[in-house]
Amino acid sequence: MSQMSLALCSSKITKIFGDGSSHALPVLQGIDLRIEKGASWVVLGRSGVGKSVLLKILLGLLPMTSGDTLVDGLSVRDRAHRHSYLSYFGMLFQGGALFDSMTILGNIVFALTERGVSRAQAIEIAHEKLAAVGLGERRVSSLFPSELSGGMKKRAALARAIALDPKILLFDEPTTGLDSITSSKIAYLLRDTVQTLGATAITITHDLVTARVLADRICLLEDGRIAWQGTQAELETTDNPQMIDLLKAAQGERAS
Ligand SMILES: Nc1ncnc2c1ncn2[C@@H]1O[C@H](COP(=O)(O)OP(=O)(O)O)[C@@H](O)[C@H]1O
Ligand SMILES: [Mg+2]
């Protein structure tokens, strides 16, 4: 595969927290990702395994210990081109990360003006994106985050993440904390949004149901490494013991 058809290419990412002493915590121990443009990847893994750390490293919010990530030839390590690098990404944070003191509309307008968009244009884009995620009514866009349900918060955060039509969308546990019906609605909304934008998506989740809705390709993060990766069809027939454990655990959750 040529480098040009890749949206994002990570090589040998490691992350060790601590000072290299006996207290050092090796979280990532050599992660390679070659994500094609337009693909939707899901990184699965149990909680505490390093999924959020990986996303923060891809964005450059956390420094990696060694390795690199390239997007269109730009390295995440290149501080001089930080702004251009970040402009490729839209990020949906785990908790939504909306400002409580601003309305939904205000949150999106603020994010846009921070990135140099004029106020008038920001308002126009905010209305358009809120409509795209099903929050188009004026009554809703003038609500504050504390007045929204969990699903509506996710929608609002998604509207902000797509405000500048990013080429790569990152979703951190997008359905965690939602009831199963809302969770599935949000997963389908994310899938449709990614398709409409023609974006590349990287989702991290511990939830197999979400993974099945969103993924072209699934990988399993375990012990700091990608323990398994494959398509949905390959998931159904895998004999990888770690993946089988996760499939069994998910079945148990549904049965209970
Ligand atoms: N800033 C930090 N300093 C030290 N340890 C951290 C930091 N951020 C995360 N960790 C540790 O890294 C591990 C992975 O965390 P995280 O990526 O948040 O897990 P998850 O897979 O649930 O998203 C955890 O053991 C966590 O305690
Ligand atoms: Mg996490």
Side-chain angles (χ1 to χ4, degrees):
M1 198 182 314
S2 85
Q3 199 75 22
M4 290 313 289
S5 62
L6 293 176
L8 181 144
C9 179
S10 289
S11 48
K12 301 190 178 67
I13 295 177
T14 71
K15 179 65 183 176
I16 304 172
F17 286 110
D19 51 9
S21 70
S22 55
H23 298 297
L25 175 67
V27 175
L28 303 177
Q29 305 193 58
I31 302 288
D32 295 319
L33 298 170
R34 294 174 63 78
I35 303 184
E36 320 81 69
K37 285 184 179 158
S40 178
W41 278 50
V42 170
V43 178
L44 271 172
R46 53 194 171 70
S47 89
V49 83
K51 301 183 301 296
S52 297
V53 166
L54 177 61
L55 272 201
K56 285 176 195 156
I57 284 175
L58 295 182
L59 278 174
L61 300 177
L62 258 183
M64 51 189 121
T65 304
S66 62
D68 203 356
T69 296
L70 296 176
V71 170
D72 257 356
L74 286 178
S75 164
V76 67
R77 308 184 80 117
D78 177 359
R79 305 312 286 185
H81 293 99
R82 180 101 196 100
H83 195 77
S84 317
Y85 182 88
L86 275 180
S87 68
Y88 281 87
F89 293 92
M91 173 80 199
L92 185 63
F93 291 97
Q94 191 161 351
L98 298 164
F99 292 111
D100 292 331
S101 60
M102 294 180 198
T103 65
I104 297 315
L105 187 76
N107 263 280
I108 299 165
V109 169
F110 178 75
L112 284 164
T113 51
E114 282 277 280
R115 290 175 74 171
V117 178
S118 74
R119 195 173 159 75
Q121 208 193 347
I123 292 172
E124 193 177 314
I125 295 173
H127 281 301
E128 176 201 324
K129 297 302 181 186
L130 282 166
V133 301
L135 297 178
E137 283 177 59
R138 292 292 156 110
R139 185 181 56 80
V140 175
S141 61
S142 61
L143 294 176
F144 289 88
S146 62
E147 299 172 302
L148 300 183
S149 69
M152 288 162 91
K153 267 187 209 157
K154 293 284 185 194
R155 285 173 193 270
L158 176 62
R160 186 179 57 184
I162 61 171
L164 285 171
D165 297 330
K167 293 201 167 71
I168 307 175
L169 280 163
L170 301 181
F171 302 138
D172 188 357
E173 297 280 4
T175 57
T176 298
L178 303 175
D179 64 76
S180 61
I181 292 175
T182 308
S183 166
S184 139
K185 275 190 192 158
I186 294 295
Y188 281 103
L189 173 68
L190 294 175
R191 191 181 74 175
D192 294 346
T193 305
V194 169
Q195 275 170 5
T196 305
L197 279 178
T200 305
I202 308 172
T203 305
I204 61 175
T205 182
H206 68 277
D207 180 38
L208 202 56
V209 179
T210 301
R212 284 202 161 110
V213 173
L214 279 170
D216 303 328
R217 193 161 188 88
I218 294 175
C219 47
L220 177 67
L221 186 60
E222 182 89 32
D223 294 331
R225 297 198 167 80
I226 305 286
W228 179 87
Q229 59 171 303
T231 61
Q232 302 245 11
E234 286 161 351
L235 178 69
E236 306 309 326
T237 56
T238 180
D239 54 8
N240 176 280
Q242 285 145 317
M243 202 63 231
I244 288 173
D245 279 351
L246 196 131
L247 290 166
K248 279 191 184 145
Q251 256 164 9
E253 257 171 48
R254 271 207 299 282
S256 66

